[in-house]
């Protein structure tokens, strides 16, 4: 409102002083009439404006006055409100004080209640203390150690500060005396329990041992109890182990289990410890609380390690393990310097070692599971750090125990020996290779895969993933380099060609034999192997290569499912599966290498054995004139000049391969041969000349050939003969221009495999076609 | 399996004395971690990391082997299929350097003749305890025709470089091999062709 008022007044105030744009001096100085008139009209205009403003202001007077009246009326009400507000504030202050008073009393009451409770508690404690003191004395007198220990436990669980406070009270001296008695009793009880426990262990009195074992934690002696108890258990383990080892020494070599007696002994040891853990785990859990099993097992593991060491030492000594390993190592480094160890001799020891490791893995897995679940109960509320610390101490126990290290050492030697066993046995199988008549493959393929499977299977039976992977790797190497090399060498000898090539080869080999006999002074009969045998050997090797490739894939699949079984039992770490898969993938890759080798062998066979035979037969086509008249055509009809003989020859030739090769390989070979025939035939056709009837003759011949080849191959061969068929079509034309019925837009479903230039070339083979007509063709 | 999403797959095997930091190098590279108080490796560990080099996905299979003697027969079985070996020693441990010739003999005996070997001196963060001078190591690696690099798994020095440089060299080597192989197809028996080249490279 104030703003509105000042707003109203401002223009007026200012107007009084300088509202006019014309000052008095300026008006006075005006002398001209037009100027004066102009000034006058301006002033008139200004006056009018001022008047309008004034009127507007005066119109507002009424509203302002009425507002003033209302304001005056509000005055008394405001005074009333002020009084009320004061009163309210007073009331609030009062209530507040009142509430403060009440709550402080409640607080005091609460405090009093707490103190009262504490007092009662302390009185109870003091009573308890007294009760405990009396109880302990009586219990001790009655040799009721459980009761006594329970009293001591009660005393130990009392709040120490409470006891301290109680001693300062009026009855301090009495309590002091009581306390002293109690402490004495505690000490006495500890001594008694320890003594009694020792006596019980010495007597081997299990109920007594367990009785006092339960008392230790009541006296706050958890660690001591566990260590003493495990000492007792260890002694039992040791005694049993000693007995078992003695039994081993007495075992007759003819005993059924003699070959795996050390594995059996370890098994007994592990089973014994596992049984102990199984039996005593409930007591430890109940009386010592969760998380204590680790301590017990840690103690037991020390004993286990000692016993394992003894067994393994005996094993190494009796089985001559290290010397055998040395021997193997020497034979591997210097191939023939030392006398080689017979691989078969290693067989039993290798089996035993894997069995020993399998048992150890099983035992360690048992222990791990038990400790993990025990820790899990304890760690359910614990921080991440505590959990990790527990995990670490568990890993340390499992990885660093002598048992693990000893087994790792044994397995380390085992892998080298197993590799040697595999390589030597494979060599033997190769050396003893035999192929029975009528068999497509020779004995070594089955033998080699049997050996490889056996070795990997044995590594698998050790339950050690690293051991298994190492043997898969070694097998891959063995198959990929050594064994593949054997087959390669055999294929490199080549397939001996017959007839003309035979004579050539015979001459060179005779010269070679002469040379070697001159050099060595003796005649080497090995040089003249019968051709048939060499042929047979080449075909068998091809079959072998194919079977190898397949066997590797089968082996991989089998191993995959075997490994899955092992993994599902919880053996191996987190990456076990990835490791195995990677190693198996490497093995599978070798299968392709055998496949490549097969292809190389096949093309070798095709080019050295098939081609030299087939080519002359096809060349005979040239000696059969296709520039013929009706008479000759009819004669050919009666006495086929070429194709029937060719088919017969081919059949004879291929029959040899069909009998000697597996169906799959034979199929590949016939495919190669078919391509070869197509290419060669094309060459001779382009060298011949044809009459109209000659073209018809060729068409008949080609149809017979295709019909025959279709019956003997499983592939569709039409495609391979597409070019030749098209050539036959061209040679069968009535006129040159007839080609246009088949060419370009008229070709219909036919796809021409011949280029326009080739079409012209074929057309030119027809002696009755004029070259101008051919040239004139628009293709 | 054949449609896996990578252009190259290489196997790298780390070897060297126990405690020179092989596991730490691998962890640093594959997980970016430096776990203090790393326990001794049992047998072999296996990690995979796929990196991209010049737009090509390179899958690295890294085999971290145990240095302790008793695992030697396990670790040796991995040499042959390895495309690269990282021979590691500890620059603060003279002994680990002196064992290198022995390791080289192992490589000679078991690895493929095409394998690329890199010599790595680890733990350069402990410079004040250095026992093997850089010069000595360089001379040694030069004489053996090896690439040499000093690293710190703890400070992450040169770790990335080690593996990425190696991957680059493996790629160019693989390319060369394919070219050679394409020109003259191998005769039977010479077929130690490159196993790590998958078909997806050149289609």
């Amino acid at each position: 409102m104030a703003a509105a008022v000042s707003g109203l007044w401002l223009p007026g105030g200012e107007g009084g002083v300088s509202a006019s744009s014309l000052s008095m001096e300026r008006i006075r100085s005006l002398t001209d009439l037009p100027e004066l008139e102009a000034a006058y009209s301006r002033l008139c205009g200004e006056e009018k404006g001022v008047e309008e403003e004034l009127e507007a202001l005066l119109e507002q007077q009424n509203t302002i006055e009425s507002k003033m009246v209302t304001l005056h009326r509000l005055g008394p009400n405001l005074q009333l409100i002020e009084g009320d507000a004061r009163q309210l504030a007073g009331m609030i202050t009062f209530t507040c004080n009142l509430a403060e008073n009440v709550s402080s009393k409640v607080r005091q009451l609460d405090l009093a209640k707490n103190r009262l409770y504490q007092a009662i508690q302390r009185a109870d404690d003091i009573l308890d203390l007294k009760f405990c003191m009396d109880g302990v004395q009586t219990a001790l007198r009655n040799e009721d150690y459980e009761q006594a220990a329970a009293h001591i436990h009660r005393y130990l669980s009392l709040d120490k500060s409470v006891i301290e406070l109680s001693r300062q009270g009026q009855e301090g001296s009495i309590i002091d005396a009581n306390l002293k008695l109690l402490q004495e009793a505690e000490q006495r009880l500890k001594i008694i329990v320890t003594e009694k426990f020792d006596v019980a262990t010495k007597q081997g009195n299990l109920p007594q041992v367990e009785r006092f074992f339960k008392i230790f934690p009541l006296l706050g002696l958890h660690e001591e109890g566990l260590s003493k108890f495990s000492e007792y258990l260890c002694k039992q383990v040791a005694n049993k182990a000693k007995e078992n080892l003695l039994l081993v020494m007495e075992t007759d070599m003819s005993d059924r289990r003699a070959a795996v007696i050390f594995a059996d002994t370890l098994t007994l040891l592990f089973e014994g410890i596992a049984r102990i853990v199984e039996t005593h785990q409930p007591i430890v859990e109940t009386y010592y609380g969760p998380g204590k099993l680790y301590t017990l097992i840690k103690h037991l593991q020390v004993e286990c390690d000692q016993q394992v060491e003894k067994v393994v030492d005996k094993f190494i000594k009796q089985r001559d393990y290290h010397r055998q390993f040395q021997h193997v190592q020497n034979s591997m480094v210097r191939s023939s310097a030392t006398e080689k160890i017979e691989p078969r001799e290693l067989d039993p020891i290798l089996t035993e070692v894997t069995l020993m490791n399998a048992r150890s893995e099983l035992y360690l897995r048992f222990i791990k599971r038990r400790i993990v679940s025990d820790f899990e109960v304890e760690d359910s509320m614990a921080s991440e750090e505590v959990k990790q610390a527990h995990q670490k101490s568990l890993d340390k126990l499992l990885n660093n125990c002598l048992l693990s290290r000893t087994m790792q050492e044994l397995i380390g030697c085992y892998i080298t020996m197993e590799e040697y066993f595999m390589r030597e046995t494979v060599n033997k199988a190769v050396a003893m290779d035999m192929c029975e008549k009528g068999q497509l493959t020779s004995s070594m393929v089955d033998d080699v895969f049997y050996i490889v499977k056996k070795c990997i299977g044995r590594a698998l039976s050790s339950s050690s993933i690293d051991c298994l992977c190492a043997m898969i790797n070694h097998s891959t190497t063995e198959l990929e380099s050594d064994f593949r090399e054997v087959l390669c060498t055999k294929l490199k000898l080549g397939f001996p060609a017959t007839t003309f090539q035979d004579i050539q080869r015979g001459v060179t080999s005779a010269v070679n034999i002469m040379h070697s006999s001159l050099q060595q002074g003796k005649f080497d009969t090995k040089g003249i192997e019968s051709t048939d045998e060499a042929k047979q050997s080449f075909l068998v090797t091809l079959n072998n290569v194919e079977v190898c490739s397949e066997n590797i894939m089968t082996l991989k699949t089998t191993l995959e499912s075997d490994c899955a079984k092992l993994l599902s039992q919880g053996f191996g770490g987190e990456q076990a599966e990835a490791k195995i898969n990677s190693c198996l993938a490497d093995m599978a890759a070798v299968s392709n290498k055998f496949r490549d080798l097969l292809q190389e062998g096949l093309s070798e066979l095709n080019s050295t054995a098939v081609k030299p035979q087939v080519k002359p037969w096809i060349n005979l086509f040239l000696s059969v004139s296709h520039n013929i008249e009706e008479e000759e055509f009819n004669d050919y009809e009666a006495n086929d000049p070429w194709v029937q003989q060719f088919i017969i020859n081919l059949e004879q030739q291929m029959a040899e391969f069909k009998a000697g090769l597996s169906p799959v390989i034979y199929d590949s070979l016939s495919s190669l041969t078919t391509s070869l025939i197509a290419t060669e035939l094309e060459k001779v056709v382009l060298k011949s000349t044809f009459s109209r009837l000659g073209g018809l003759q060729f068409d008949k011949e080609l149809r017979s050939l295709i019909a025959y080849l279709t019956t003997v191959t499983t592939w569709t061969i039409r495609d391979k003969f597409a070019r030749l068929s098209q050539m036959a079509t061209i040679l069968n034309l009535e006129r040159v221009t007839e080609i246009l019925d088949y060419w370009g837009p008229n070709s219909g479903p036919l796809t021409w495999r011949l280029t326009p230039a080739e079409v012209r070339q074929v057309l030119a083979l027809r002696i009755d076609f004029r070259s101008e007509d051919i040239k004139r063709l628009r293709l | 399996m054949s449609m896996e999403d990578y252009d190259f797959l290489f196997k790298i095997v780390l070897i060297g004395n126990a405690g020179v930091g092989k596991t730490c190098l691998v962890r640093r590279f594959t997980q970016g971690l430096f776990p203090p108080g790393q326990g001794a490796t049992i047998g072999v560990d296996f990690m995979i990391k796929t990196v991209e080099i010049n737009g090509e996905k390179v899958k690295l299979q890294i085999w971290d082997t145990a240095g302790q003697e008793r695992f030697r027969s396990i670790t040796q079985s991995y040499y042959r299929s390895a495309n690269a070996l990282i021979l590691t020693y500890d620059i603060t441990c003279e002994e680990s350097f002196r064992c290198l010739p022995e390791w080289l003999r192992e490589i000679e005996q078991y690895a493929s003749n095409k394998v690329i070997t890199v010599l790595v001196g680890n733990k350069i963060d402990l410079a004040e305890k250095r026992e093997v001078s850089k010069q000595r190591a360089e001379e040694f690696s030069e004489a053996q025709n090896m690439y040499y690099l000093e690293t710190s798994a703890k400070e992450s020095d040169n770790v990335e470089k080690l593996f990425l440089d190696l991957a680059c060299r493996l790629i160019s080597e693989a390319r060369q091999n394919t070219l050679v192989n394409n020109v003259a197809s191998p005769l039977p028996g010479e077929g130690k062709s490159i196993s790590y080249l998958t078909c997806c490279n050149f289609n």
Side-chain angles (χ1 to χ4, degrees):
Chain A
M1 219 157 173
V5 171
S6 70
L8 281 175
W9 282 107
L10 262 174
E14 263 173 21
V17 186
S18 59
S20 168
S21 55
L22 293 167
S23 61
M24 280 311 259
E25 287 97 78
R26 202 168 140 71
I27 296 172
R28 278 200 194 104
S29 66
L30 294 174
T31 48
D32 242 341
L33 184 67
E35 278 178 6
L36 275 169
E37 270 173 356
Y40 172 73
S41 68
R42 242 172 93 181
L43 283 172
C44 281
E46 276 176 20
E47 189 189 6
K48 219 176 189 174
V50 169
E51 261 171 18
E52 273 167 15
E53 252 176 61
L54 268 174
E55 248 163 64
L57 285 172
L58 284 174
E59 265 170 29
Q60 285 180 356
Q61 191 186 0
N62 275 340
T63 30
I64 291 168
E65 272 173 2
S66 73
K67 275 186 184 153
M68 284 306 287
V69 172
T70 349
L71 275 176
H72 277 299
R73 252 185 250 145
L74 276 172
N77 279 347
L78 278 174
Q79 277 171 358
L80 223 87
I81 289 169
E82 195 197 356
D84 284 356
R86 279 218 186 94
Q87 215 173 338
L88 186 64
M91 267 162 81
I92 289 171
T93 319
F94 176 73
T95 318
C96 176
N97 284 339
L98 199 67
E100 195 93 353
N101 279 344
V102 172
S103 78
S104 89
K105 273 178 192 146
V106 171
R107 233 178 288 146
Q108 277 175 3
L109 268 175
D110 209 35
L111 197 70
K113 193 184 94 183
N114 273 344
R115 293 234 170 101
L116 194 64
Y117 273 135
Q118 278 177 355
I120 292 169
Q121 177 76 38
R122 195 176 299 171
D124 271 353
D125 283 355
I126 291 168
L127 276 176
D128 265 359
L129 212 57
K130 177 122 177 57
F131 177 67
C132 283
M133 203 269 299
D134 293 342
V136 164
Q137 302 293 344
T138 341
L140 278 179
R141 226 175 293 130
N142 298 338
E143 295 195 356
D144 186 355
Y145 302 113
E146 283 81 5
Q147 194 58 47
H151 286 307
I152 297 290
H153 184 64
R154 174 83 187 92
Y155 152 63
L156 288 176
S157 57
L158 289 180
D159 192 349
K160 288 284 177 287
S161 62
V162 171
I163 297 171
E164 274 308 306
L165 275 171
S166 314
R167 285 165 73 172
Q168 290 157 13
Q170 286 178 340
E171 289 184 60
S173 56
I174 302 167
I175 291 170
D176 232 13
N178 279 353
L179 272 177
K180 214 170 181 181
L181 280 172
L182 257 177
Q183 276 159 2
E184 274 172 22
E186 183 194 348
Q187 291 310 318
R188 233 174 84 210
L189 192 60
K190 278 181 182 173
I191 293 166
I192 290 171
V193 168
T194 313
E195 275 173 3
K196 291 269 181 191
F197 185 87
D198 287 346
V199 172
T201 55
K202 244 172 229 142
Q203 291 170 345
N205 187 345
L206 186 62
Q208 284 293 311
V209 169
E210 285 190 355
R211 177 185 170 195
F212 290 104
F213 176 56
K214 291 174 192 166
I215 293 176
F216 279 111
L218 293 178
L219 302 177
L221 300 172
H222 292 82
E223 285 299 314
E224 202 178 338
L226 281 171
S227 88
K228 276 194 175 298
F229 187 54
S230 18
E231 216 174 280
Y232 162 73
L233 295 175
C234 286
K235 218 171 277 166
Q236 287 196 317
V237 170
N239 288 339
K240 193 78 196 142
K242 205 170 167 186
E243 276 173 41
N244 287 335
L245 207 56
L246 278 175
L247 279 177
V248 168
M249 305 320 288
E250 289 164 9
T251 311
D252 193 34
M253 281 315 284
S254 62
D255 191 280
R256 201 170 49 84
R257 303 290 295 175
V260 286
I261 194 76
F262 289 101
D264 281 356
T265 312
L266 276 187
T267 312
L268 287 177
L269 173 66
F270 296 147
E271 280 175 356
I273 295 174
R275 210 172 301 124
I276 283 173
V277 171
E278 198 105 87
T279 333
H280 298 290
Q281 190 177 7
I283 299 186
V284 175
E285 269 170 12
T286 318
Y287 294 89
Y288 285 72
K292 296 293 182 198
L293 193 66
Y294 168 73
T295 318
L296 183 76
I297 292 181
K298 205 170 90 180
H299 284 295
L300 279 170
Q301 190 51 43
V302 175
E303 186 62 38
C304 173
D305 283 348
Q306 280 174 10
Q307 296 308 326
V308 165
E309 197 179 9
K310 280 184 195 161
V311 176
V312 171
D313 275 352
K314 266 272 165 1
F315 163 80
I316 288 172
K317 223 158 137 197
Q318 192 138 326
R319 304 284 199 230
D320 232 355
Y321 193 66
H322 283 162
R323 207 187 52 81
Q324 300 226 48
F325 172 65
Q326 278 298 325
H327 201 151
V328 164
Q329 260 193 328
N330 290 340
S331 344
M332 283 175 106
V333 176
R334 283 164 273 125
S335 43
S336 58
T338 45
E339 192 191 325
K340 278 198 177 178
I341 196 165
E342 173 64 30
R344 212 178 327 143
E345 281 173 24
L346 293 173
D347 209 27
I349 200 174
L350 295 177
T351 308
E352 192 173 19
V353 171
T354 48
L355 198 58
M356 284 164 81
N357 194 70
R359 299 294 186 235
S360 308
E361 298 263 350
L362 200 64
Y363 162 76
L364 287 171
R365 198 169 56 111
F366 166 80
I367 282 188
K368 186 179 174 183
R369 266 206 320 250
R370 289 301 161 116
I371 295 181
V372 164
S373 58
D374 191 44
F375 272 152
E376 256 167 28
V377 177
E378 196 195 5
D379 292 351
S380 53
M381 310 289 279
S383 67
E384 205 43 52
E385 283 144 50
V386 174
K387 280 181 194 170
Q388 272 179 6
H390 278 160
Q391 182 62 40
K392 226 172 197 169
S393 51
L394 172 61
D395 285 346
K396 213 171 140 193
L397 174 69
L398 294 173
N399 292 336
N400 294 359
C401 67
L402 187 94
L403 168 64
S404 293
R405 277 182 286 131
T406 310
M407 285 304 150
Q408 284 156 5
E409 260 160 39
L410 288 183
I411 285 295
C413 298
Y414 157 80
I415 291 169
T416 309
M417 287 157 84
E418 185 77 279
E419 187 200 352
Y420 173 82
F421 175 87
M422 178 169 70
R423 192 187 306 167
E424 288 302 311
T425 323
V426 164
N427 286 346
K428 222 178 236 185
V430 170
M432 293 180 2
D433 186 33
M434 268 215 335
C435 182
E436 282 178 37
K437 273 242 160 0
Q439 291 286 41
L440 290 180
T441 57
S442 65
S443 65
M444 70 173 167
V445 179
D446 283 350
D447 290 350
V448 164
F449 277 91
Y450 172 79
I451 294 160
V452 169
K453 222 165 139 180
K454 174 181 174 163
C455 292
I456 298 179
R458 188 149 54 194
L460 182 87
S461 74
S462 77
S463 306
S464 158
I465 301 296
D466 279 331
C467 171
L468 168 65
C469 286
M471 274 320 290
I472 294 177
N473 291 340
H474 282 313
S475 307
T476 305
T477 308
E478 179 65 32
L479 291 172
E480 185 183 359
S481 16
D482 298 0
F483 188 53
R484 192 169 155 281
E485 200 60 39
V486 168
L487 297 171
C488 251
T489 319
K490 285 193 184 257
L491 286 183
K492 267 190 190 160
L493 290 176
F495 187 83
T498 31
T499 61
F500 179 63
Q501 272 79 18
D502 251 3
I503 301 160
Q504 263 196 330
R505 195 172 288 215
V507 171
T508 39
S509 67
V511 171
N512 284 342
I513 291 161
M514 293 276 281
H515 267 291
S516 64
S517 57
L518 282 174
Q519 278 166 358
Q520 296 168 9
K522 59 179 180 187
F523 206 75
D524 186 9
T525 46
K526 267 190 183 169
I528 353 172
E529 260 181 337
S530 91
T531 322
D532 268 356
E533 238 171 76
K535 278 182 178 177
Q536 181 71 11
S537 154
F538 188 89
L539 296 185
V540 164
T541 307
L542 276 188
N543 293 328
N544 283 349
V545 171
E546 194 227 344
V547 173
C548 280
S549 163
E550 265 167 32
N551 281 359
I552 288 169
M553 291 319 287
T554 319
L555 183 61
K556 189 210 167 201
T557 323
T558 322
L559 284 174
E560 261 170 351
S561 70
D562 288 349
C563 291
K565 263 180 236 156
L566 188 68
L567 290 174
S568 69
Q569 286 164 16
F571 286 103
E574 40 200 304
Q575 305 147 340
E577 195 176 352
K579 283 201 262 188
I580 293 173
N581 285 342
S582 168
C583 293
L584 284 178
D586 280 354
M587 173 177 266
V590 179
S591 173
N592 291 333
K593 297 205 170 162
F594 276 93
R595 227 156 251 298
D596 293 346
L597 185 61
L598 176 65
Q599 280 314 313
E600 282 160 22
L602 270 176
S603 42
E604 158 89 7
L605 184 64
N606 191 44
S607 61
T608 66
V610 179
K611 196 174 173 183
Q613 302 261 30
V614 170
K615 213 175 156 181
W617 295 336
I618 291 177
N619 285 342
L620 284 177
F621 182 88
L622 288 172
S623 63
V624 178
S625 169
H626 283 75
N627 182 6
I628 49 170
E629 294 309 317
E630 190 77 35
E631 191 185 335
E632 287 149 308
F633 182 75
N634 289 337
D635 188 35
Y636 284 171
E637 182 84 50
N639 310 302
D640 181 86
W642 174 74
V643 74
Q644 292 310 323
Q645 191 54 44
F646 176 65
I647 289 172
I648 291 166
N649 288 342
L650 193 63
E651 183 144 272
Q652 271 174 357
Q653 154 102 25
M654 295 310 275
E656 185 184 1
F657 298 128
K658 190 165 189 173
L661 291 172
S662 81
V664 178
I665 308 180
Y666 177 70
D667 239 26
S668 313
L669 180 67
S670 5
S671 163
L672 286 173
T673 306
T674 314
S675 307
L676 175 75
I677 293 171
T679 342
E680 293 299 323
L681 190 56
E682 200 176 298
K683 278 189 208 157
V684 293
V685 167
L686 289 174
K687 281 188 207 155
S688 308
T689 50
F690 298 85
S691 62
R692 166 75 183 82
L693 283 173
L696 190 58
Q697 173 68 19
F698 171 60
D699 192 55
K700 274 170 65 185
E701 286 166 334
L702 189 63
R703 279 173 205 279
S704 310
L705 186 59
I706 291 175
Y708 165 71
L709 290 173
T710 309
T711 59
V712 296
T713 51
T714 53
W715 312 75
T716 157
I717 58 157
R718 301 237 163 245
D719 197 52
K720 291 186 177 173
F721 280 87
R723 278 170 63 87
L724 275 168
S725 302
Q726 287 168 10
M727 285 160 93
T729 308
I730 295 171
L731 292 172
N732 252 321
L733 296 177
E734 295 278 350
R735 309 176 304 278
V736 173
T737 47
E738 203 187 337
I739 180 74
L740 296 173
D741 294 347
Y742 304 97
W743 191 262
N746 300 326
S747 61
L750 182 78
T751 316
W752 280 93
R753 298 292 181 82
L754 300 173
T755 63
E758 282 168 335
V759 172
R760 284 178 214 277
Q761 194 189 352
V762 176
L763 281 168
L765 299 178
R766 276 283 291 271
I767 46 157
D768 51 335
F769 287 168
R770 292 192 312 168
S771 59
E772 302 96 79
D773 292 344
I774 299 172
K775 265 185 205 150
R776 221 177 294 134
L777 270 181
R778 292 171 154 257
L779 294 174
Chain B
M1 280 294 273
S2 61
M3 299 311 275
E4 270 188 77
D5 189 23
Y6 56 81
D7 302 305
F8 291 95
L9 169 67
F10 296 119
K11 261 190 174 182
I12 299 174
V13 179
L14 278 93
I15 54 173
N17 275 20
V20 298
K22 296 182 289 296
T23 303
C24 288
L25 281 172
V26 174
R27 289 276 162 121
R28 170 58 79 192
F29 177 62
T30 55
Q31 302 170 326
L33 298 173
F34 180 77
Q38 180 69 41
T41 306
I42 307 288
V44 284
D45 259 345
F46 175 66
M47 302 263 177
I48 285 181
K49 177 151 176 159
T50 307
V51 293
E52 207 174 297
I53 292 175
N54 300 329
E56 286 184 289
K57 286 230 166 78
V58 183
K59 188 170 171 181
L60 298 176
Q61 256 192 13
I62 304 171
W63 294 83
D64 170 29
T65 66
Q68 287 159 315
E69 183 70 35
R70 62 176 183 279
F71 297 111
R72 215 41 65 82
S73 69
I74 291 174
T75 56
Q76 280 162 357
S77 78
Y78 288 91
Y79 283 44
R80 219 184 74 90
S81 58
N83 301 119
L85 295 169
I86 297 180
L87 176 52
T88 316
Y89 76 96
D90 173 0
I91 62 148
T92 70
C93 173
E94 169 79 26
E95 174 63 20
S96 72
F97 184 76
R98 244 184 289 136
C99 284
L100 293 179
E102 200 184 306
W103 285 105
L104 289 175
R105 266 197 298 283
E106 283 216 350
I107 295 173
E108 179 75 23
Q109 189 181 349
Y110 298 103
S112 132
N113 50 7
K114 284 187 187 143
V115 77
I116 295 177
T117 311
V118 181
L119 182 65
V120 168
N122 191 30
K123 304 196 190 176
I124 50 169
D125 48 291
L126 302 173
E128 71 282 3
K129 287 191 197 157
R130 189 190 268 273
E131 286 183 7
V132 182
S133 77
K134 191 170 181 180
Q135 196 198 344
R136 231 176 109 202
E138 274 168 350
E139 279 167 13
F140 179 79
S141 65
E142 218 162 281
Q144 302 292 336
N145 216 357
M146 283 185 291
Y147 178 65
Y148 177 67
L149 201 64
E150 293 200 338
T151 59
S152 163
K154 190 178 178 190
E155 307 289 339
S156 199
D157 269 352
N158 271 346
V159 178
E160 200 83 351
K161 180 176 162 57
L162 165 65
F163 285 97
L164 296 185
D165 282 2
L166 191 51
C168 281
R169 287 186 54 199
L170 284 166
I171 290 174
S172 63
E173 204 97 339
R175 285 243 165 79
Q176 244 170 14
N177 275 333
T178 345
L179 282 180
V180 170
N181 268 33
N182 281 355
V183 170
S185 60
L187 293 165
E190 288 178 358
K192 269 187 183 163
S193 58
I194 17 127
S195 60
Y196 42 80
L197 261 184
T198 49
C199 53
C200 27
N201 296 327
F202 296 98
N203 54 15

